[in-house]
Amino acid sequence: SRPVISIPRLCARVRHALCAKCEMCIPVCPYHARYMNPETGRVEVDPVSCQGCGACAAICPSSAVVLGLPADDAVMTAIEEAL
């Protein structure tokens, strides 16, 4: 039997302090995981739909999108909000 290697799934995260709200990342997402939240006025990521392909990070002109493990997302969001 061959060993099985599991690779953790990445998820995109928006660094809101850097986001220019240009929305270029929304239509480029092939999984429709990005949207403009009308309540907060921020670009958000649906972590369930996001497959971590990186299309949003590649097109972001302000480098506001980063890819990471979903568990890291909560930690980074807490740090960003504290700044």
Side-chain angles (χ1 to χ4, degrees):
S1 116
R2 298 174 77 185
V4 176
I5 300 172
S6 66
I7 300 171
R9 183 176 63 91
L10 296 177
C11 185
R13 186 181 64 79
V14 180
R15 295 186 291 179
H16 296 291
L18 299 177
C19 181
K21 299 177 185 150
C22 67
E23 299 184 36
M24 291 175 64
C25 59
I26 295 173
V28 77
C29 178
Y31 302 101
H32 309 288
R34 305 180 72 76
Y35 61 96
M36 178 61 79
N37 184 329
E39 293 178 7
T40 63
R42 292 177 158 189
V43 174
E44 302 286 347
V45 179
D46 175 4
V48 174
S49 300
C50 179
Q51 300 299 304
C53 71
C56 55
I59 201 164
C60 182
S62 57
S63 300
V65 180
V66 293
L67 296 175
L69 298 174
D72 293 342
D73 195 332
V75 173
M76 292 305 293
T77 298
I79 292 170
E80 184 177 329
E81 289 175 357
L83 295 177

